[in-house]
Amino acid sequence: MNAPVEIWNMSQLRHVNFHVYGWHIGRGLHLPDPPSDKIVIMENLQTLKGVRNFKCDEMMVRRIPNIRKLGLSYPGGDEDIEYGDDYCLHNIERLQKLESLSCEGYGRSALLQKLTFPHSLKSLTLSMYINRMEDILEKASALPLLQKLKLKGGYFTTGKWETVEGQFPSLKYLELGLCKGLEWWMTESSHFPCLEHLRLYEVSLMEFPAELGEIPTLKSVRMHHCSEESVISAKRMVEEQEDLQGEEELSFNVSVILKKHCGENGFLITLANRNFTVEIDRY
């Protein structure tokens, strides 16, 4: 859907939220280029979501200085980058009041590498195939106010993710999905001082980091279609915490959803207890 060019003259506009049901190439609201002969600063605009192929050039940054929520999609392939069409995503860092950013577009790994983030960001959702997940996580880990991080798609070129002290100081919710190549996650409980919820979807860790069970704020871990090795080691983490805290006082719960072909009589089903629930995906 194409928005009328007159949208750039609506100085009182506060929210643009174009609902896209499911991801599909070509869906989303296309905004025309603003008229060059008249610059209207849209100081009241706070939300711009469901927008396709949004170009965040210097003039756009000037037009939307108070934007708080951005939801963008970039259908197509990385061949666009070869022709200079990078949509100026490095300028997103200059949106100093931005609190929530979501960006999707499979097949756009080179485009995603252009992204930069303002320190005001509290929520970040990226759904793209990312060539180097390590680079994105390094950028996200330095955001002082970030509370929610969701990353879907991508590849760990080193096979590991190693966190360090001082990263993710405010993160409460972490979700990693369809991340290829991640076998080892080296971390300490102090590296995620505020983490409350962890979600892993189709992540093939060789071992679930036991140190996560020592995070005092952690409330839940959810593992969906993860490797058998990671499920078994997550169970071992729960048992260690039960020994330390007692089963009744355990502060967090691990729930596991297995692929349907695992079968209800599989070994992993027998691991279930009060603090470690196991379900079969019926769909």
Side-chain angles (χ1 to χ4, degrees):
M1 179 177 177
N2 294 323
V5 70
E6 288 80 11
I7 194 172
W8 297 116
N9 295 324
M10 300 178 181
S11 60
Q12 300 303 311
L13 188 64
R14 291 180 178 271
H15 305 285
V16 177
N17 195 343
F18 188 80
H19 290 279
V20 179
Y21 297 97
W23 189 90
H24 187 274
I25 291 177
R27 287 188 178 180
L29 181 68
H30 179 264
L31 297 176
D33 292 334
S36 57
D37 59 338
K38 182 181 181 182
I39 300 178
V40 176
I41 306 301
M42 305 182 71
E43 295 183 356
N44 294 298
L45 189 62
Q46 299 179 26
T47 304
L48 196 56
K49 299 179 69 174
V51 177
R52 173 168 51 97
N53 291 341
F54 181 73
K55 190 169 186 177
C56 192
D57 56 19
E58 292 188 12
M59 189 61 69
M60 185 61 67
V61 171
R62 288 179 56 193
R63 287 180 182 270
I64 56 172
N66 298 319
I67 198 76
R68 296 182 181 275
K69 298 179 181 180
L70 262 181
L72 312 175
S73 67
Y74 294 91
D78 281 340
E79 64 273 6
D80 296 345
I81 303 297
E82 298 178 7
Y83 298 98
D85 198 0
D86 63 0
Y87 301 101
C88 303
L89 294 186
H90 60 279
N91 281 327
I92 288 181
E93 184 180 17
R94 298 172 58 184
L95 299 172
Q96 292 299 308
K97 294 188 178 180
L98 188 65
E99 296 180 356
S100 174
L101 173 65
S102 63
C103 190
E104 65 175 17
Y106 295 97
R108 308 305 302 273
S109 59
L111 176 64
L112 188 60
Q113 301 302 134
K114 305 285 184 177
L115 274 170
T116 57
F117 311 117
H119 281 185
S120 57
L121 210 59
K122 296 180 180 180
S123 176
L124 175 61
T125 300
L126 300 178
S127 300
M128 293 185 174
Y129 188 85
I130 310 163
N131 278 342
R132 281 187 53 86
M133 285 287 287
E134 297 94 333
D135 294 342
I136 291 297
L137 285 165
E138 184 177 356
K139 292 178 183 180
S141 68
L143 297 173
L145 304 179
L146 189 67
Q147 298 181 20
K148 186 175 184 178
L149 176 61
K150 299 173 67 175
L151 298 177
K152 183 179 180 181
Y155 191 82
F156 283 81
T157 58
T158 62
K160 63 182 181 180
W161 179 24
E162 188 170 0
T163 59
V164 298
E165 197 80 30
Q167 295 180 331
F168 302 107
S170 303
L171 194 66
K172 296 182 178 180
Y173 181 99
L174 174 61
E175 180 174 320
L176 297 176
L178 298 170
C179 297
K180 306 299 182 182
L182 180 59
E183 296 183 347
W184 302 101
W185 181 0
M186 286 81 78
T187 189
E188 297 291 339
S189 59
S190 59
H191 297 177
F192 295 92
C194 300
L195 189 65
E196 296 180 359
H197 304 286
L198 173 63
R199 303 289 183 266
L200 300 177
Y201 178 80
E202 293 198 12
V203 177
S204 297
L205 285 168
M206 296 300 293
E207 186 173 14
F208 187 91
E211 293 80 3
L212 296 180
E214 301 172 5
I215 298 176
T217 56
L218 190 63
K219 297 179 181 178
S220 68
V221 176
R222 189 170 181 84
M223 305 174 70
H224 196 144
H225 293 182
C226 291
S227 64
E228 181 174 319
E229 295 88 349
S230 64
V231 172
I232 293 173
S233 55
K235 168 63 174 180
R236 187 162 56 245
M237 175 195 71
V238 170
E239 290 175 341
E240 291 173 355
Q241 293 304 310
E242 287 174 346
D243 290 341
L244 290 172
Q245 302 179 36
E247 186 174 345
E248 296 300 326
E249 289 94 22
L250 194 62
S251 58
F252 64 89
N253 175 268
V254 177
S255 60
V256 175
I257 299 180
L258 305 174
K259 292 182 179 180
K260 182 167 59 175
H261 63 71
C262 289
E264 292 192 13
N265 297 319
F267 165 69
L268 296 179
I269 299 296
T270 66
L271 300 179
N273 68 7
R274 181 193 302 271
N275 298 311
F276 191 87
T277 60
V278 181
E279 303 175 21
I280 296 291
D281 191 342
R282 304 294 182 183
Y283 302 98

